[in-house]
Amino acid sequence: MEAQAKLNPYAGGLPDAMQQALARRYAELFTVFSKYRGTVSRITFWGVTDGDSWLNNWPVRGRTSYPLLFDRQGQPKPHSNPSIRTAQAATAP
C-alpha cells in the first residue's frame, strides 16, 4: 500500500505550489514553441480535461493526474489562458 501511495501523490488534488510549477512549465514550453513557430506547426494534447487524460490510472490503477489545460470540471486552470494567449500571439499575422 505504501508503494501505491508514492505512485499517486496527489490523489486529493494538486497542491497550489505544484499548480504554480506546472503553470511556469507551460509558460516555458509555449515560449519555446512561439520562438520556433516557423518549425513547430502544431501542438497536440492527449485530452482536453484532466479527467480525460490517459495518465489517469497509469502507472498504477487509481492514480490521479493533472497534466492538461482544463480541470476535471472543464474549467481553465491558472496556466491555461496565458498558454492560449501565447499560442494566439505566435499565430497572429
Side-chain angles (χ1 to χ4, degrees), residues 22-82:
L22 183 60
R24 284 190 301 275
R25 187 64 175 150
Y26 265 110
E28 292 167 358
L29 289 169
F30 274 85
T31 298
V32 171
F33 299 153
S34 178
K35 180 179 179 181
Y36 293 99
R37 66 182 172 265
T39 303
V40 177
S41 61
R42 69 185 60 159
I43 301 161
T44 302
F45 289 90
W46 289 7
V48 177
T49 71
D50 288 338
D52 299 324
S53 175
W54 67 273
L55 290 171
N56 291 312
N57 293 309
W58 188 86
V60 294
R61 186 174 189 79
R63 181 183 168 109
T64 307
S65 196
Y66 306 88
L68 299 170
L69 294 175
F70 298 89
D71 66 19
R72 282 172 165 65
Q73 290 71 44
Q75 298 301 308
K77 290 158 102 177
H79 59 273
S80 299
N81 290 331

Side-chain angles (χ1 to χ4, degrees), residues 3-24:
Q4 184 99 1
K6 286 182 181 181
L7 293 173
N8 190 19
Y10 307 117
L14 197 61
D16 190 56
M18 291 305 297
Q19 190 72 266
Q20 295 307 315
L22 183 60
R24 284 190 301 275

